[in-house]
Amino acid sequence: MSIRWSDILEQALTFSPGSQTDLRAFFAPGRVNLIGEHTDYNGGYVLPAALGIGTWVLVRPRADRRFRFASTFSDLVVDVDATHIIYDPAYEYANYPLGVIDILRKEGVEVEGADFFFHGNLPIGAGLSSSASVEVATAAAIDALAGARLSKEKMALLSQRAENEFVGVNCGVMDQFAVAMGQADAALSLNCQTLAYQLVPMHASGYQLVIANTNVPRKLAGSKYNERRAECEAALAILRQEWPKLQALADLSPAQWPQAAALLENAHSTGHDAQILLRRARHVVFENDRAYHAADLLRRGDLKAFGKSMNESHRSLRDDYEVTGEALDALVEAAWNAEGCIGSRMTGAGFGGCTVSLVARDSVSTFTTSVAEQYKQRTGREPSFYITDIGEGVHEVSVANLWDNVITS
Ligand code: GLA
């Protein structure tokens, strides 16, 4: 389905009447993680890419110390006193921009008040970072209105802080970083411990990234995510008794794994099952290694090897990290069986959400038909597909140029 920008702008102007000249627009994409899952909060490597789909925010400054929020994805209008910003479940998605406003203010980046009107074409809560894209778009808008000139990296870190401290989700840095810093046609190889990164051109000629949505809501995502983090911390604490200088699980190389495994196996009275800690840590060590080497495979255009690594990543997330579930497994196995697919895995936190596959360009339409059929047969559900480009990180767009455009909704 497509939607005309003139319709969106008219809704925005009804919500926030006034001249068009002091309305500004910012876009922040969603992201897909190609490999390196659940490694960010373990001090490891990730390899995400920004998408061509994401969230736009139209923003108009106000001088009456109020922040107001409306959007095309909900009828809710939130109107808050700028001197009294709190988290409130009734504010729904508006908690994300409110969190960013709150954290930026603590950093001395402040505006009197503003109207925010959001429009997005990312599936919400499907593992493509819809929340990070709302946060980073808001950070760019406030930064511009305040004339603060924060770096994009700083916007990413402050948006992550908003999610951790204001919204209360203990996520790592990958999503906000990719959404802020991504560049067209490149993946971002990020060391989440040092924040050193490299843009890796996607030499994927002949192949297309295909994202597929299980259309299963990620119900347990929050609680299980925190449980995995706690398990990784427990495993790290055990290993530190032997290796006090170990900073993070991802600092262990595969060569050190046998020794680490023996230490985890023999640990007692941690309040956790030793076998479970061993499996979680094994995922982190080998997934980190895969993510580190995957950047090179991509650089060299060795997509077949890259695809194999994606498959191994999924198996490890399924068997060792246990974050896939029936729907994600069914969708990935359908992709593995389909012609032209050289790699497929879940992407994001897991427990529902999306998969990402590398598919030969001339097989994309037979791929989607075959995957949809197999998935429906096994789960009774219809998947959705997104065949999107790798896009730019957060940036301002000209409101005047939006009027004549049409976008997919
Ligand atoms: C979510 C989090 C990220 C990362 C992934 C798993 O997307 O927001 O920080 O931990 O899960 O790789």
Side-chain angles (χ1 to χ4, degrees):
M1 266 205 337
S2 49
I3 177 163
R4 286 195 313 232
W5 258 107
S6 52
D7 291 342
I8 300 166
L9 288 165
E10 265 151 29
Q11 282 185 59
L13 288 168
T14 307
F15 163 69
S16 180
S19 110
Q20 203 204 111
T21 44
D22 57 0
L23 199 62
R24 293 176 75 173
F26 298 83
F27 171 76
R31 67 95 190 92
V32 60
N33 189 22
L34 303 180
I35 197 157
E37 218 65 84
H38 291 276
T39 45
D40 64 348
Y41 54 85
N42 284 303
Y45 282 88
V46 292
L47 192 66
L51 299 174
I53 50 178
T55 309
W56 288 261
V57 60
L58 294 149
V59 62
R60 181 195 299 286
R62 298 178 66 95
D64 60 353
R65 308 224 111 240
R66 299 210 75 82
F67 285 108
R68 300 195 318 136
F69 306 90
S71 74
T72 53
F73 39 76
S74 150
D75 290 336
L76 182 76
V77 172
V78 172
D79 183 343
V80 301
D81 182 336
T83 58
H84 188 61
I85 292 180
I86 51 155
Y87 178 89
D88 184 336
Y91 293 162
E92 296 176 11
Y93 75 89
N95 283 305
Y96 295 104
L98 280 168
V100 173
I101 291 167
D102 189 53
I103 296 292
L104 259 64
R105 178 184 286 169
K106 287 180 178 148
E107 290 287 304
V109 177
E110 198 169 353
V111 292
E112 283 263 347
D115 284 346
F116 292 88
F117 188 85
F118 291 94
H119 174 72
N121 55 3
L122 275 173
I124 293 179
L128 301 181
S129 294
S130 49
S131 50
S133 99
V134 168
E135 289 157 2
V136 173
T138 306
I142 308 263
D143 173 68
L145 294 193
R149 295 179 163 271
L150 295 174
S151 68
K152 288 186 179 179
E153 185 171 327
K154 186 82 183 170
M155 286 181 203
L157 293 174
L158 294 175
S159 297
Q160 182 206 8
R161 234 179 94 192
E163 182 132 357
N164 292 165
E165 293 173 19
F166 192 89
V167 182
V169 176
N170 208 4
C171 63
V173 72
M174 168 171 71
D175 302 347
Q176 289 80 5
F177 206 91
V179 161
M181 309 283 289
Q183 283 191 17
D185 300 322
L188 208 113
S189 174
L190 171 68
N191 176 329
C192 298
Q193 207 170 130
T194 62
L195 297 186
Y197 69 93
Q198 285 184 351
L199 287 157
V200 185
M202 283 280 295
H203 289 308
S205 59
Y207 291 92
Q208 170 74 48
L209 284 178
V210 178
I211 297 169
N213 191 344
T214 57
N215 288 326
V216 171
R218 295 180 311 158
K219 272 205 210 104
L220 289 171
S223 59
K224 290 284 180 194
Y225 187 87
N226 289 340
E227 189 181 292
R228 293 296 174 277
R229 286 198 72 143
E231 288 162 350
C232 289
E233 277 158 26
L236 180 64
I238 293 168
L239 297 173
R240 270 197 176 143
Q241 291 168 9
E242 183 72 18
W243 293 312
K245 289 199 183 129
L246 190 69
Q247 293 286 318
L249 283 185
D251 288 345
L252 290 170
S253 67
Q256 288 169 299
W257 175 248
Q259 208 187 335
L263 291 168
L264 290 169
E265 197 130 46
N266 297 323
H268 297 294
S269 48
T270 59
H272 293 271
D273 178 327
Q275 284 305 318
I276 288 186
L277 296 191
L278 185 139
R279 292 210 305 273
R280 306 299 188 243
R282 182 165 59 197
H283 166 75
V284 173
V285 171
F286 289 90
E287 179 75 355
N288 183 54
D289 190 58
R290 278 188 287 272
Y292 176 73
H293 290 293
D296 253 352
L297 297 178
L298 205 56
R299 222 178 262 120
R300 293 208 305 265
D302 191 350
L303 293 182
K304 293 240 162 86
F306 188 90
K308 268 196 179 153
S309 232
M310 290 172 81
N311 298 345
E312 278 163 25
S313 164
H314 186 82
R315 283 192 280 269
S316 174
L317 288 156
R318 181 189 65 194
D319 302 335
D320 274 351
Y321 218 64
E322 296 180 282
V323 291
T324 59
E326 209 191 319
L328 280 169
D329 289 339
L331 205 49
V332 164
E333 280 163 33
W336 286 345
N337 291 334
E339 208 186 294
C341 174
I342 57 168
S344 185
R345 58 182 290 277
M346 58 151 268
T347 185
F351 316 103
C354 288
T355 67
V356 56
S357 307
L358 254 181
V359 183
R361 266 184 209 278
D362 48 14
S363 302
V364 170
S365 79
T366 51
F367 171 84
T368 53
T369 313
S370 151
V371 169
E373 263 171 31
Q374 295 178 64
Y375 181 66
K376 179 138 198 218
Q377 236 173 40
R378 202 160 138 187
T379 64
R381 289 175 188 271
E382 310 267 356
S384 320
F385 296 95
Y386 314 94
I387 299 170
T388 139
D389 298 328
I390 296 200
E392 284 289 318
V394 68
H395 56 273
E396 182 160 15
V397 290
S398 144
V399 174
N401 290 348
L402 284 176
W403 279 96
D404 294 330
N405 287 346
V406 172
I407 53 168
T408 55
S409 57

